Amino acid sequence: MTTTALPQAQSLPADWRDLLALTKPRVMTLVVFTGLCGLLVAPAPIPPALGFTAILCIALGAGAAAALNMWYEADLDALMKRTASRPIPAGRLDRQTALHFGVGLAFFSVILMGVATNWFAAAILAVSILFYVFVYTIWLKRRTPQNIVIGGAAGAFPPLIGWAAVTGDVATLPLILFALIFLWTPPHFWALSLFVRSDYAAAGVPMLPVVAGAKAARIQILLYTLPMAAAAVAPWPLGLTGALYGVAAAALSLAFILLALRVLFNRATEPSGMRPEKRLFAFSILYLFAIFGALVADRWLIA
Amino acid sequence: MTPDQDEIRRRQRGRAIIMAVLLVAFVGLVYAITIAKMSLYR
């Protein structure tokens, strides 16, 4: 494992912008959106104030997990171009502040979720934070190329949490949404790790393209895309959604598969020749937004 | 004041303002949650 000495954080008090950056606001957008969609498709109304609080708690929980991830991975972040300017490796924030901030935010989000909605949703939120920090960040990420396959479950919890905040339980639809995000995560991250492979290699992170090579990663991307597409379309034939969602999910999944096929047939080994991978990565983000948007549109427009 | 002390004061002021805004927002949120919960059990 490659390690590096982190720059000594200055003795100045932390700037609030750096604390905000610890929460990875851009990553949080997708988490909040999928959580909101889980909440909106649940088969019961929720007072707006409680719905807002549930989404706020999902956002704060995701922020807490991100802060704890940056606290633990500061040495790796310092070695990668993509992450070297984050607050801790750049020396703008000391690790202890990040740890206190992350733990505090995690407790706050779980307790507020329990008080405002129900303790079942709070428990799932707690599990998702703990899973991301202990299973993905601390246990898997530096040890196995399957890190994001298993660790991806952490990012799949928000629709479950949103649903549980309304109903107090889980049902088939949120479990399928969980499976969809779980199966979406490997193609999404492996597409990214193909064109930033040198970054991961320099930091010693055993991402699949680093350990098994680009060809194996491209095959795996397609192999995960197929069950992901099945999970995306499944709610329609199961009668859990209407045709609006079914047609949108089928069209979007077909586009995803076609882009994954273009990645499969790409032979480039340098990032400059990895346009298909970059397109798949960009489309995968749009895909999840569009699928969940279609789900809510289906529920609200058809209903 | 040295430039360092200036920077410390600037950061402390920034964090104090953010904390004040967040505390006021939190009080408003708890009030809204309370009203919503009361309406649920009415």
Side-chain angles (χ1 to χ4, degrees), chain A residues 11-291:
Chain A
S11 56
L12 293 172
D15 192 294
W16 65 270
R17 292 172 195 84
D18 289 325
L19 291 173
L20 181 66
L22 280 183
T23 63
K24 300 187 188 172
R26 285 181 64 188
V27 175
M28 199 192 284
T29 319
L30 201 54
V31 169
V32 167
F33 185 72
T34 55
L36 175 65
C37 292
L39 183 139
L40 289 176
V41 298
I46 183 170
L50 301 187
F52 171 80
T53 307
I55 299 306
L56 178 70
C57 291
I58 292 174
L60 294 179
L68 292 170
N69 171 274
M70 283 204 212
W71 158 74
Y72 189 77
E73 290 191 345
D75 58 333
L76 289 185
D77 286 345
L79 294 168
M80 298 197 285
K81 270 187 289 184
R82 194 168 61 86
T83 53
S85 62
R86 285 177 177 173
I88 303 174
R92 300 194 304 275
L93 197 73
D94 65 274
R95 289 184 72 179
Q96 198 179 35
T97 302
L99 176 63
H100 292 169
F101 179 69
V103 171
L105 208 54
F107 273 98
F108 180 77
S109 64
V110 171
I111 291 169
L112 184 61
M113 178 70 96
V115 169
T117 63
N118 58 72
W119 289 100
F120 182 63
I124 306 176
L125 179 63
V127 167
S128 72
I129 297 169
L130 294 171
F131 193 92
Y132 186 74
V133 175
F134 288 101
V135 177
Y136 172 67
T137 303
I138 296 178
W139 180 31
L140 296 174
K141 183 158 181 185
R142 301 177 193 231
R143 286 182 173 80
T144 166
Q146 297 300 309
N147 47 17
I148 49 113
V149 176
I150 304 161
F157 280 108
L160 272 182
I161 301 169
W163 179 287
V166 179
T167 64
D169 60 14
V170 291
T172 311
L173 182 59
L175 287 173
I176 292 175
L177 298 177
F178 177 92
L180 167 61
I181 302 179
F182 180 70
L183 293 164
W184 165 91
T185 307
H188 169 75
F189 272 105
W190 284 334
L192 168 74
S193 58
L194 273 165
F195 58 84
V196 296
R197 187 166 53 159
S198 57
D199 242 17
Y200 282 115
V205 181
M207 294 300 281
L208 188 67
V210 176
V211 175
K215 187 180 175 188
R218 286 173 172 132
I219 293 169
Q220 292 294 320
I221 284 175
L222 184 66
L223 290 180
Y224 275 89
T225 298
L226 297 175
M228 178 208 74
V233 179
W236 185 26
L238 290 174
L240 301 170
T241 62
L244 175 64
Y245 170 81
V247 171
L252 286 161
S253 299
L254 184 64
F256 202 116
I257 291 169
L258 291 174
L259 287 171
L261 280 169
R262 289 190 61 186
V263 167
L264 180 68
F265 294 123
N266 188 21
R267 292 282 173 267
T269 53
E270 292 303 313
S272 56
M274 294 194 182
R275 196 150 169 257
E277 285 79 2
K278 289 172 186 171
R279 286 190 68 183
L280 178 63
F281 176 72
F283 179 77
S284 65
I285 298 168
L286 175 71
Y287 174 84
L288 216 55
F289 271 111
I291 285 267

Side-chain angles (χ1 to χ4, degrees), chain A residues 12-15 53 115-116, chain B residues 8 10-11 15 26 29 33 37:
Chain A
L12 293 172
D15 192 294
T53 307
V115 169
Chain B
I8 289 171
R10 190 188 68 75
R11 290 189 180 197
R15 283 173 60 168
F26 181 63
L29 183 67
I33 290 169
K37 288 241 165 196

